[in-house]
Amino acid sequence: MSGDPDTVYSASLWKAQGMSPLQVLTWEKAHLSSRFRLTFVGGEAAPTRPGIPGVPTPPSDPYHDASYEFDLQGAGIPPAAEMIVQAASSPAGQTYVRVDVQVSWQPQRAAAERVPAGVTAITITAQPDMNKPHDRPAPVTLTDPARVGKIVRLVDSLPLNPGGGHCSLNENGKGITLSFLGHANSPVLATASELIPNCGGVQFAIRGTDQPILSDPGSFTQQALSIAGVRWPGFNMPG
């Protein structure tokens, strides 16, 4: 079950009389709309892999399972709409079919979840690589109205990330934090932080209160540093 409140999930089960798991998948694929694109095959539907020399071949699966995964394509379709069809037969020869369907939609970002009005300065702080804690550039504070405005609009343009961030094993703590100020040296109104390489999400907070994670296709850090005119070795790189 998905723990995401912006996701609808449903599962159904059937018996398929007189058909093998592979026959069920073949029938299903032939009767689906062309908007469904096959993206993954598993079990007996997957190509046979060559054996590994010196490694015993495992016994065959008595349940003869096979699975297909489809994504729904087309205009107006949410970015995460998928269907998984799994079929398996019992030792007695009865085939059972399970269909899982999951659809996620893009929630709207509320006006209260945007950078507060009145920002005239932005401080950009580097978070160092944990393996090189002393390799940390000095913070930079922007007061130029044009650059400040562009960065505020950049943050406000990011959509919500329904699935949150997805960090990789390459994360080492390196990243940047943008602090939005009413004026230089005043209390922080909001912050936006992202790791390098990015986790697909930007952490955003208003007056110290965490807001929903924002979605980043991989260019937020680079755009922010570019607008600010900041050149930090190891930070100006694709996320």
Side-chain angles (χ1 to χ4, degrees):
M1 294 293 292
S2 171
D4 186 351
D6 300 307
T7 296
V8 174
Y9 171 82
S10 177
S12 303
L13 300 169
W14 290 278
K15 287 183 179 180
Q17 301 290 349
M19 299 177 72
S20 70
L22 287 176
Q23 287 174 329
V24 168
L25 295 186
T26 299
W27 185 94
E28 182 73 18
K29 185 178 179 182
H31 288 78
L32 280 176
S33 163
S34 60
R35 294 192 303 166
F36 285 88
R37 178 174 63 94
L38 181 63
T39 57
F40 181 80
V41 295
E44 292 186 344
T48 302
R49 296 183 178 180
I52 301 175
V55 177
T57 302
S60 61
D61 183 353
Y63 294 97
H64 303 288
D65 67 285
S67 62
Y68 278 171
E69 182 175 323
F70 300 90
D71 284 346
L72 190 58
Q73 309 290 306
I77 301 299
E82 61 183 22
M83 178 174 69
I84 301 174
V85 181
Q86 298 173 293
S89 63
S90 69
Q94 172 62 55
T95 296
Y96 298 88
V97 184
R98 170 174 171 157
V99 178
D100 295 79
V101 179
Q102 179 172 291
V103 177
S104 298
W105 65 88
Q106 179 65 59
Q108 293 298 311
R109 189 174 169 190
E113 297 171 354
R114 300 179 184 276
V115 177
V119 171
T120 65
I122 299 174
T123 296
I124 306 178
T125 305
Q127 300 161 213
D129 183 330
M130 67 178 67
N131 299 310
K132 303 175 182 178
H134 302 295
D135 187 9
R136 181 177 184 176
V140 172
T141 297
L142 303 176
T143 56
D144 175 61
R147 294 188 177 189
V148 168
K150 288 186 70 173
I151 292 180
V152 168
R153 289 190 293 273
L154 172 64
V155 173
D156 283 346
S157 71
L158 297 177
L160 296 179
N161 187 336
H166 304 283
C167 293
S168 70
L169 295 177
N170 294 326
E171 297 300 342
N172 53 27
K174 181 191 294 185
I176 68 167
T177 295
L178 308 179
S179 298
F180 298 86
L181 314 169
H183 55 81
N185 300 318
S186 69
V188 175
L189 299 177
T191 58
S193 303
E194 184 174 51
L195 295 176
I196 301 174
N198 81 85
C199 296
V202 175
Q203 302 287 337
F204 184 57
I206 297 177
R207 296 183 175 89
T209 300
D210 290 339
Q211 304 298 310
I213 296 176
L214 305 178
S215 181
D216 173 29
S219 60
F220 170 74
T221 293
Q222 313 316 312
Q223 291 185 65
L225 294 179
S226 177
I227 293 171
V230 173
R231 297 291 182 270
W232 286 339
F235 289 81
N236 298 84
M237 53 182 258

